[in-house]
Amino acid sequence: MAAKVGRCGRVYVKNGYDIRTDERGVKYSIPETEPQGSMNGAFYLPKDAPASGEVSIMGTVDGNCGTATLTGAGKSFFTAYAIKPWFGAAFKHTWRVAVSSSSGYQVYNLDGFAPLIGNWSTSRSISFAGKPYNGWVSTGTVTTRIGAVCGSMTPGDLWYS
């Protein structure tokens, strides 16, 4: 059973849920059995979900070495990056996409190595309902083969399923 929400939007700690604060200072509800740092089963209240302000609600944004993309549709999202040639080919990336809605919150860990040729992209399905979904690249860095570190500039999207 989820945490109870009172008339004033306060979340009450009940039925095995804790109220914690993320790195942005935003409170969320999570099962008390989850270790610190986990976001499994966590959700933000709609009025508290991280949204614009720190997130560019644009599908593609320019970073310091190229572009980063995040777009959503239905119950899935697409994310990608493209590195400008003079920064060298991408080698590896730390890439996390956070998606929230009034029904849930999930961080998708997409870390890995880049393909030998070309840029990187992927799509993921979302396992919880959303009306609407709010997604953003919460961590996005790419290390190129010549050692440049590129930042994503936090692209994001807001969409209805």
Side-chain angles (χ1 to χ4, degrees):
M1 180 177 267
K4 299 283 185 185
V5 180
R7 284 188 200 161
C8 297
R10 290 189 64 196
V11 176
Y12 297 100
V13 181
K14 274 189 158 178
N15 303 314
Y17 279 74
D18 283 340
I19 305 302
R20 298 183 187 163
T21 304
D22 71 8
E23 65 276 356
R24 291 181 170 96
V26 179
K27 294 190 183 302
Y28 60 93
S29 175
I30 188 166
E32 66 186 358
T33 56
E34 286 298 318
Q36 290 295 331
S38 169
M39 292 301 286
N40 291 330
F43 73 91
Y44 290 97
L45 294 176
K47 67 177 188 58
D48 291 334
S52 57
E54 294 182 14
V55 178
S56 171
I57 306 297
M58 296 172 50
T60 300
V61 296
D62 289 323
N64 60 333
C65 303
T67 60
T69 300
L70 182 98
T71 56
K75 287 190 72 168
S76 65
F77 64 86
F78 168 84
T79 189
Y81 60 76
I83 305 299
K84 294 176 184 169
W86 51 87
F87 288 102
F91 174 63
K92 65 180 181 175
H93 56 261
T94 302
W95 207 263
R96 314 267 167 78
V97 173
V99 179
S100 69
S101 78
S102 60
S103 301
Y105 177 85
Q106 178 72 43
V107 176
Y108 297 84
N109 183 336
L110 307 171
D111 296 356
F113 290 97
L116 292 175
I117 298 174
N119 297 304
W120 175 83
S121 67
T122 191
S123 296
R124 290 291 186 272
S125 295
I126 299 167
S127 60
F128 56 90
K131 300 261 185 226
Y133 288 110
N134 182 20
W136 63 98
V137 175
S138 60
T139 303
T141 59
V142 178
T143 303
T144 68
R145 295 186 189 282
I146 63 170
V149 178
C150 305
S152 70
M153 302 305 289
T154 319
D157 198 7
L158 177 68
W159 70 98
Y160 291 85
S161 62

